[in-house]
Amino acid sequence: MAVYTDIAEDDLKWFLTEYDAGTLLSYKGIAEGVENSNFLLHTSKEPLILTLYEKRVEKTDLPFFLGLMQHLSARGLSCPLPLPRRDAALLGSLSGRPAALISFLEGMWLRKPEAKHCREVGRALAEMHVAGDGFELTRANALSIDGWQTLWEKSEARAGEVEPGLQDEIRGELAFLAAAWPKGLPAGVIHADLFPDNVFFLGDQLSGLIDFYFACNDLLAYDVSICLNAWCFEKDGAYNITKGTAMLEGYQSVRPLSGEEIAALPVLSRGSALRFFLTRLYDWLTTPEGAMVTKKDPLEYLRKLRFHRQVGSAAEYGLSL
């Protein structure tokens, strides 16, 4: 979440008249995240999240994202729901951007997750993968191998500003992954961005998943690798195998991984580390000064990528073989 586009109070009040959402009491921008402009609204009826979809989000993808939340919620997954307008549409327009109102999910994200929380995340991710089965809309992963190459081309010339010698290292990594990327593994709808700030807890109980705006169709085990990267490394860069074991056990308690998925996990984890390195690198180099957004350090994911290069098997992530 972030704020790139500001909104005027009068415009927001007019926007709310298109919904059965009550009258506006207060609103404020939410600074976390990097993709869309988000605001917490308090109305006479209930708290809501207002999302303005920025230029990197294709308007044609929005029916997939909003429909997926409806589909998952209908199948028992705890996640926010888009509110329909009075004309039944899920999407409106505000401040020159496509906009939607989303239900508010109770809970807080964890700054210091423990192994027990990682187990719950693994279970919830598998539940989402199972619940996503049967969703009729599809969306290709725009941030897979072809997308990585495009992002790199936009950042390569200035990559040395972040760390000398990056050009050769990343070119080599892209070539390796293009040749080694697994094919034929189980696929379906994935979240693709299940970081701690996209998972809410009430105490130690997971209360729901949010922010489905990278969701797409891809390899299910790739989503697992994203979570290993996002949840199972410490601030000093060390991989926490206790957290990794808990996450993988939680996932497999709902949806066991196949032998082929397990064998592919080191390559998938390299790929997901590279994906977040490249998006962070691009944002680091291009986010305008003064934007109400927290830029994230790309070198964190470069260090994770280098760790995965040394992994020989999924056992080193804590998976019992």
Side-chain angles (χ1 to χ4, degrees):
M1 297 180 181
V3 175
Y4 295 97
T5 300
D6 203 1
I7 53 176
E9 183 175 349
D10 287 345
D11 291 341
L12 178 54
K13 288 180 176 178
W14 175 85
F15 179 81
L16 287 177
T17 64
E18 300 178 318
Y19 295 83
D20 183 19
T23 57
L24 181 67
L25 301 178
S26 66
Y27 70 102
K28 64 178 181 179
I30 302 172
E32 292 165 332
V34 295
E35 282 304 311
N36 302 308
S37 294
N38 290 270
F39 300 84
L40 173 61
L41 312 185
H42 288 279
T43 77
S44 57
K45 281 196 168 184
E46 59 184 333
L48 296 165
I49 299 296
L50 167 68
T51 298
L52 275 62
Y53 299 100
E54 298 293 346
K55 294 179 181 179
R56 202 155 83 178
V57 177
E58 295 289 342
K59 187 175 180 179
T60 53
D61 286 333
L62 294 177
F64 177 90
F65 300 141
L66 299 174
L68 176 61
M69 286 187 272
Q70 291 181 314
H71 176 91
L72 295 174
S73 178
R75 281 153 182 78
L77 190 81
S78 179
C79 65
L81 270 174
L83 271 67
R85 301 183 346 149
R86 296 186 190 278
D87 63 3
L90 297 179
L91 198 63
S93 178
L94 180 60
S95 297
R97 298 282 188 268
L101 282 180
I102 310 293
S103 64
F104 179 80
L105 187 68
E106 291 287 347
M108 296 179 62
W109 70 272
L110 301 174
R111 268 65 175 178
K112 295 181 179 179
E114 301 173 18
K116 59 187 176 183
H117 305 121
C118 293
R119 185 182 304 276
E120 291 304 305
V121 172
R123 181 180 295 113
L125 180 68
E127 288 171 350
M128 187 208 129
H129 289 167
V130 172
D133 190 40
F135 182 52
E136 294 182 354
L137 299 181
T138 60
R139 177 179 180 265
N141 188 353
L143 289 171
S144 191
I145 292 176
D146 291 342
W148 302 341
Q149 183 63 46
T150 300
L151 271 175
W152 176 239
E153 290 169 359
K154 294 177 179 178
S155 305
E156 182 176 6
R158 296 180 57 198
E161 298 174 22
V162 177
E163 182 176 296
L166 267 180
Q167 284 89 345
D168 288 342
E169 181 175 2
I170 300 304
R171 286 190 207 110
E173 190 66 25
L174 284 165
F176 167 81
L177 290 170
W181 201 247
K183 297 178 176 62
L185 299 182
V189 176
I190 70 169
H191 186 283
D193 193 39
L194 202 59
F195 278 64
D197 57 352
N198 288 332
V199 181
F200 281 4
F201 283 82
L202 288 169
D204 290 331
Q205 184 70 37
L206 192 151
S207 60
L209 311 182
I210 68 168
D211 200 350
F212 289 83
Y213 300 116
F214 286 105
C216 57
N217 296 87
D218 207 333
L219 305 179
L220 301 180
Y222 177 63
D223 224 9
V224 176
S225 79
I226 290 172
C227 284
L228 290 175
N229 274 313
W231 289 82
C232 300
F233 284 83
E234 299 302 321
K235 290 190 180 297
D236 64 1
Y239 181 75
N240 187 321
I241 196 167
T242 302
K243 290 182 177 179
T245 298
M247 177 167 286
L248 292 164
E249 287 178 352
Y251 186 89
Q252 295 207 103
S253 71
V254 176
R255 180 189 169 269
L257 294 165
S258 69
E260 292 79 7
E261 288 176 302
I262 291 170
L265 203 54
V267 170
L268 294 170
S269 297
R270 281 176 71 166
S272 58
L274 180 67
R275 172 259 188 268
F276 287 100
F277 166 74
L278 289 172
T279 49
R280 287 185 175 198
L281 176 66
Y282 177 80
D283 290 339
W284 189 268
L285 296 172
T286 62
T287 297
E289 294 298 325
M292 188 180 169
V293 57
T294 304
K295 293 198 296 185
K296 298 179 179 178
D297 181 9
L299 293 180
E300 175 188 350
Y301 269 79
L302 184 63
R303 291 187 288 269
K304 292 177 182 180
L305 170 59
R306 290 167 176 166
F307 167 82
H308 294 302
R309 284 197 197 118
Q310 310 305 316
V311 171
S313 79
E316 295 177 55
Y317 297 125
L319 188 64
S320 299
L321 302 180

